[in-house]
Amino acid sequence: MSERAAPFYCPYCGDEDLRPNEQGHGAWECAACNRAFQLKFLGLLTRGLQRKDDGGDEI
């Protein structure tokens, strides 16, 4: 099994100075804003992606 991708930026401040957190798998800490957060994959949606494509507004 391959490794999961790491986040590229902090979801709170947008900085890229992230490090793995000691809390466990998927936990990260941001050195810029001093926040810790956890990423978790919940699963695939059974209905899939549904788009409402009505063509947009006419000009």
Side-chain angles (χ1 to χ4, degrees):
M1 183 178 258
S2 64
E3 297 242 354
R4 296 194 184 255
F8 293 112
Y9 56 88
C10 174
Y12 297 99
C13 72
D15 200 85
E16 298 176 355
D17 192 6
L18 300 177
R19 298 179 182 128
N21 188 281
E22 298 175 359
Q23 292 291 324
H25 183 72
W28 296 87
E29 56 187 50
C30 176
C33 68
N34 208 27
R35 289 185 170 107
F37 58 93
Q38 187 169 14
L39 303 175
K40 183 178 178 182
F41 178 69
L42 299 177
L44 297 174
L45 300 175
T46 57
R47 60 182 161 85
L49 179 64
Q50 296 178 351
R51 292 180 60 172
K52 182 178 178 183
D53 192 10
D54 57 0
D57 296 332
E58 290 187 22
I59 298 177

